[in-house]
Amino acid sequence: MAEGPDPVVADLEQEVTCGICHDRYQEPKLLPCCHYYCKQCILTLSSRYRPNQPFPCPDCREPTLLPDNNPDKLTTAFFITRMKALHSRMEKAHGKLETTCEMCSGGKVTAFCRQCVSFICDDCVKSHKMKVFSGHAISTLDELKQGGVKELTFESPPPPKCEDHEEPKKIFCFDCNKLICRDCIVIEHAGHNYEFVKKAAPATRKKLTEHLSPLKNLLPDLSTAVNQVKGTKQKIQAQKELTERQVNAKFQELHDILDRCKVRVLRESSALADSKMEKLTVQEKGLDLSLGTAQSLIDFVERTLENASDEELITMQEQVVSRIDAEVVKRGKEAANPDPVEKDDFGVEVFVCEDLKKLCENNVVVYPSVRGDGVKMAEVDKCANLNVYISSKQGKPQAVLKSLVDQSTQQLQAVPVRGGVYSVEYTPRVRGRHHLLISVDDQPIPGSPFSVFIKIPPTKLDKPVKVIRGIDNPQYMAFNSSEELIVTDWNGDVLVFGKKGKQIRSISKSQHGFGYIFGVAVDKEDNIYVCDSGNNSVYKFNKREDLLKRFGTKGCGPKELNYPRGIAVAGDQVFVCDRKNSRVQVLTTDLELVKQIGSYGTGNEHFNKPEDVAVDNEQMVYVTDCYNHRVQVLTMDGRFIRSIGKKGSGQGDLSCPHGVCVTGFVYVAGFDNYRVSVFTKDGQFVASFGNGHITPPFGVAVDSDGFVYVRSKESVVIF
């Protein structure tokens, strides 16, 4: 098997390679920032800038001014030359360079003498046993490969010679900061502060070591800062990807709105035109018949006058005159009212606005019609509005709001906005279903009366409006497409209630052998998913309550559960809170395992007994992390986005949160707080309710009319 590249040689290769030209260093020079490059590379780099203008170090970007534009005035990086020699020797040791004995220049190299600093052959190895070579350390090539750089180090080079006196520079002048020879002391450096290099070097090493210590102490903090920056970059990248998905989803939504708007406008326009055309067709046929009858009588009389004899004319005059008089009376009425029974008083107009969604939903209209949020839903004590679109030929519209709760009525004012457009505003006082009646010229606008639901904000959910009783131990809840309430009874059946709160059917424990059932969810096809903590299973039933599939056995491995609790369905994925395994398992709607999210812990993306899970319309996953006393918000693939709530008993605090439901707000059932806390999706506390009206709550659900259903002892309390 071929040997891989030696790491020591590879490291040395990097050390002796210039970071600018990526070749072996040639005359390496040291910049003031202590980074070094080839002399020519430095000169080339500085030439890109104006004279006396600093250039940035390629490594640290520190501004560097080249003295007199001459790289020779920079300190030479002597140790790099030694590193190059060391690298060359390592290549020889590893057989990368052909070499012969450096002592006898004849034999094949088999070893290295550290004292001689030479590669030697077998004969020279034997010669080294002579007394003259006593104390020389010999290493074989294999030992060199294993020992690496430490086996190849050699003595420092001799001191350089003085250019003026040809003497070795063994002295350092501190005043001039340069190496000098013995003769320099007497001539150029007389009276200067100097010291022999051998004597000054230890103090210099100590000084450098002391100065290096504070910098080394900074490394952990710098490393931490680097990791924090990397972490922030990862979060930003995750947020970028999330934003891209959200933007794509929003623009797809706008695209879908435009398509739906086009279909709606064409459908409404066609229906209105067809209705008018049908009436006009009937009128046209009647008029055609009248016209034909009158013309036929005229033709008959004219032919009679022209062709009949006097006797024949006198004989039929009474009959003809009577018929003419009758036709004149009959057709005269039709001629007196010649207008069509329908008018061309309809059309399509687009009112330009900045919000494309409003443009599509509210400002592309077929008149007469009504548009605006106030025609479908409003909020107690909050002004709602809508627009009425009519032909400019029609009169002012009239509007009345009637409560179906207390039968009260409210006359509304229609304020002209522009030609054919009227604004109607109202502030409802009563919660619940209302009828909005709008008419023009005593004729109801198409669609009137409109059904409007008046909701109540979370800040006003202070008292229950209804209680569903007779449930032994209710746990979690969900709604199907028919707005039927589905409730799990802990030690009993899955119960289904109608809109009036009466039980209408159930999924039997005796038939399916339930243990202790908790979570329940419904998909878009009204299939029902149930978590059975007693049997460590998830069941899937169709809308007829037939069992389709079962998933899970007790354990902590894949496809195993340990006390599953909450469950949610989003698209083709099912999220299951695997409580005692402190994780969330993700399944397909066919109950096949996709992945697992999280593990035990207190950090982000870790759980301590997750209780319930919900997914909002932006594909964000909300998990109640019970014993970490928070709600974690994650992406569909399990990346942490934010945390909602913290342990405590104050407003906005949570204590062992259980159920969670997400609409425009996040509703969290606080088991130990005896209340439901309401947050915005970004985690801002809004309100809490239920204290004094509910026992420790488990599940919480919200229906399409905004009523909040909360599990209490032996009942479901509706706020």
Side-chain angles (χ1 to χ4, degrees):
M1 183 176 178
E3 293 183 358
D6 184 85
V8 176
V9 177
D11 288 344
L12 280 174
E13 177 73 30
Q14 186 175 356
E15 287 288 338
V16 299
T17 300
C18 174
I20 296 178
C21 66
H22 302 293
D23 204 348
R24 300 286 175 84
Y25 282 109
Q26 300 295 327
E27 298 184 79
K29 293 292 183 177
L30 193 65
L31 298 180
C33 60
C34 295
H35 291 114
Y36 39 86
Y37 305 96
C38 301
K39 181 178 79 172
Q40 186 58 45
C41 292
I42 294 174
L43 186 60
T44 302
L45 180 63
S46 66
S47 66
R48 299 173 186 170
Y49 297 83
R50 294 191 299 271
N52 299 320
Q53 180 186 2
F55 62 91
C57 168
D59 203 328
C60 66
R61 315 307 296 171
E62 184 77 17
T64 301
L65 186 62
L66 194 61
D68 300 329
N69 202 35
N70 184 2
D72 287 327
K73 293 191 175 182
L74 294 172
T75 302
T76 300
F78 295 107
F79 63 97
I80 295 300
T81 303
R82 296 182 62 207
M83 293 288 285
K84 286 175 64 179
L86 185 59
H87 179 261
S88 177
R89 292 185 181 279
M90 284 297 294
E91 287 190 315
K92 289 181 180 180
H94 285 258
K96 293 187 177 182
L97 295 176
E98 294 294 333
T99 183
T100 57
C101 179
E102 295 177 345
M103 292 193 69
C104 67
S105 299
K108 181 180 179 181
V109 170
T110 59
F112 178 78
C113 176
R114 297 186 62 183
Q115 279 66 35
C116 297
V117 196
S118 300
F119 285 91
I120 58 178
C121 63
D122 283 339
D123 291 336
C124 293
V125 170
K126 293 176 182 178
S127 300
H128 269 64
K129 294 180 180 180
M130 298 171 60
K131 189 173 182 179
V132 68
F133 295 111
S134 176
H136 284 214
I138 305 295
S139 299
T140 66
L141 293 183
D142 288 336
E143 289 172 344
L144 289 179
K145 292 178 182 179
Q146 295 174 5
V149 175
K150 66 179 182 293
E151 295 289 342
L152 289 173
T153 52
F154 42 82
E155 299 292 332
S156 298
K161 289 188 176 182
C162 177
E163 297 84 357
D164 298 325
H165 309 111
E166 295 296 320
E167 291 290 327
K169 296 180 179 179
K170 296 184 178 181
I171 303 167
F172 185 77
C173 177
F174 292 99
D175 293 341
C176 301
N177 194 33
K178 62 183 294 187
L179 289 170
I180 59 176
C181 69
R182 195 186 302 253
D183 292 346
C184 292
I185 297 175
V186 180
I187 305 173
E188 294 92 351
H189 299 269
H192 287 195
N193 180 22
Y194 58 85
E195 184 63 86
F196 281 95
V197 170
K198 289 286 187 182
K199 188 174 181 180
T204 301
R205 293 182 185 277
K206 181 180 179 181
K207 179 180 179 181
L208 287 174
T209 301
E210 290 173 350
H211 276 69
L212 197 60
S213 181
L215 187 60
K216 286 184 176 180
N217 293 336
L218 292 175
L219 290 181
D221 291 338
L222 289 172
S223 179
T224 299
V226 169
N227 290 334
Q228 289 176 342
V229 170
K230 287 182 177 178
T232 302
K233 286 177 64 180
Q234 291 173 351
K235 291 180 180 179
I236 290 174
Q237 180 63 30
Q239 185 62 32
K240 174 188 173 184
E241 294 171 1
L242 172 63
T243 302
E244 288 175 351
R245 291 196 299 273
Q246 291 175 334
V247 168
N248 288 333
K250 285 296 182 185
F251 274 85
Q252 183 61 48
E253 179 184 355
L254 291 175
H255 183 274
D256 293 342
I257 290 170
L258 283 170
D259 283 345
R260 292 197 300 270
C261 178
K262 174 184 175 182
V263 171
R264 175 182 60 78
V265 171
L266 290 175
R267 183 178 61 249
E268 293 179 7
S269 175
S270 178
L272 189 54
D274 289 348
S275 174
K276 290 178 175 289
M277 291 287 286
E278 184 178 355
K279 294 178 182 179
L280 289 170
T281 298
V282 172
Q283 183 184 20
E284 182 184 15
K285 288 181 179 179
L287 290 173
D288 281 343
L289 180 60
S290 298
L291 180 60
T293 302
Q295 186 62 53
S296 176
L297 182 56
I298 291 170
D299 291 343
F300 171 76
V301 173
E302 287 180 344
R303 286 197 303 273
T304 299
L305 290 172
E306 182 179 349
N307 300 310
S309 66
D310 293 342
E311 291 81 8
E312 291 172 336
L313 191 62
I314 292 172
T315 301
M316 66 174 66
Q317 69 167 332
E318 184 177 350
Q319 178 184 351
V320 173
V321 170
S322 175
R323 177 61 178 165
I324 291 174
D325 291 344
E327 282 297 312
V328 169
V329 172
K330 185 176 181 180
R331 306 310 170 191
K333 292 180 180 179
E334 294 175 347
N337 297 285
D339 293 338
V341 294
E342 286 287 347
K343 299 179 180 180
D344 59 346
D345 56 347
F346 83 102
V348 176
E349 187 169 353
V350 179
F351 300 102
V352 177
C353 72
E354 297 299 324
D355 187 328
L356 183 58
K357 188 171 182 178
K358 290 182 179 179
L359 169 66
C360 298
E361 294 188 340
N362 298 333
N363 293 289
V364 179
V365 298
V366 175
Y367 51 80
S369 62
V370 180
R371 293 288 182 271
D373 294 336
V375 78
K376 295 180 180 179
M377 185 171 288
E379 187 173 298
V380 171
D381 296 331
K382 187 175 181 180
C383 181
N385 59 74
L386 54 96
N387 286 337
V388 181
Y389 300 88
I390 60 174
S391 168
S392 58
K393 299 176 183 179
Q394 294 176 297
K396 183 178 180 180
Q398 295 81 41
V400 177
L401 183 67
K402 180 180 180 180
S403 170
L404 302 184
V405 179
D406 61 5
Q407 304 302 313
S408 61
T409 60
Q410 187 177 352
Q411 296 290 331
L412 310 179
Q413 292 295 319
V415 179
V417 177
R418 53 184 177 269
V421 183
Y422 289 81
S423 174
V424 176
E425 294 184 348
Y426 63 93
T427 304
R429 307 299 181 192
V430 181
R431 180 187 185 186
R433 190 65 59 184
H434 286 60
H435 273 171
L436 179 62
L437 301 95
I438 301 177
S439 60
V440 179
D441 296 337
D442 297 325
Q443 295 296 318
I445 288 283
S448 179
F450 300 96
S451 181
V452 183
F453 179 75
I454 309 301
K455 63 182 181 179
I456 190 169
T459 53
K460 296 184 179 181
L461 291 171
D462 51 353
K463 295 180 181 179
V465 296
K466 189 176 182 179
V467 178
I468 300 176
R469 304 185 186 277
I471 309 172
D472 182 39
N473 197 345
Q475 297 298 315
Y476 289 88
M477 297 159 288
F479 291 93
N480 61 20
S481 62
S482 300
E483 286 295 308
E484 295 171 338
L485 175 66
I486 304 172
V487 183
T488 53
D489 191 346
W490 179 68
N491 195 23
D493 303 336
V494 179
L495 308 176
V496 183
F497 294 83
K499 293 183 178 180
K500 295 183 179 180
K502 299 294 183 181
Q503 183 182 333
I504 55 179
R505 59 185 182 276
S506 66
I507 303 176
S508 171
K509 173 180 180 177
S510 60
Q511 180 180 356
H512 298 287
F514 296 146
Y516 306 112
I517 54 176
F518 282 90
V520 61
V522 180
D523 68 16
K524 60 185 178 182
E525 296 177 359
D526 279 347
N527 295 310
I528 302 172
Y529 301 77
V530 179
C531 283
D532 185 346
S533 298
N535 290 324
N536 298 290
S537 298
V538 175
Y539 302 87
K540 178 180 179 180
F541 300 89
N542 63 21
K543 59 184 178 182
R544 297 185 300 275
E545 287 82 51
D546 299 321
L547 179 62
L548 300 179
K549 195 168 183 180
R550 176 175 173 176
F551 170 89
T553 57
K554 185 174 182 179
C556 59
K559 300 184 180 181
E560 294 179 337
L561 299 166
N562 194 351
Y563 218 72
R565 295 293 283 258
I567 187 169
V569 181
D572 59 356
Q573 292 189 324
V574 180
F575 295 79
V576 180
C577 286
D578 192 359
R579 187 177 190 272
K580 291 188 178 180
N581 284 327
S582 290
R583 64 188 180 186
V584 175
Q585 298 219 44
V586 184
L587 317 175
T588 67
T589 49
D590 290 328
L591 300 189
E592 296 293 333
L593 180 63
V594 177
K595 60 189 172 187
Q596 299 170 355
I597 296 174
S599 58
Y600 176 79
T602 59
N604 299 336
E605 302 175 15
H606 291 79
F607 306 109
N608 189 353
K609 306 296 188 297
E611 278 288 344
D612 197 16
V613 58
V615 182
D616 70 12
N617 56 6
E618 297 177 344
Q619 303 295 290
M620 292 290 103
V621 182
Y622 298 73
V623 181
T624 48
D625 192 0
C626 182
Y627 291 125
N628 284 328
H629 310 285
R630 62 185 178 182
V631 176
Q632 288 201 59
V633 185
L634 312 169
T635 62
M636 292 284 281
D637 57 4
R639 292 199 303 272
F640 176 82
I641 298 299
R642 70 180 66 89
S643 181
I644 296 176
K646 60 179 178 60
K647 184 178 182 180
S649 58
Q651 293 295 318
D653 293 337
L654 300 173
S655 182
C656 294
H658 277 52
V660 61
C661 180
V662 185
T663 57
F665 297 95
V666 182
Y667 297 81
V668 185
F671 185 83
D672 287 351
N673 294 131
Y674 284 65
R675 68 190 181 199
V676 175
S677 296
V678 187
F679 302 85
T680 62
K681 288 185 177 181
D682 60 4
Q684 298 299 313
F685 174 73
V686 177
S688 66
F689 62 92
N691 210 322
H693 299 288
I694 54 176
T695 58
F698 274 84
V700 58
V702 180
D703 68 15
S704 61
D705 286 336
F707 287 96
V708 184
Y709 295 66
V710 184
R711 176 268 186 195
S712 189
K713 184 178 180 181
E714 300 180 354
S715 64
V716 173
V717 182
I718 306 174
F719 291 84

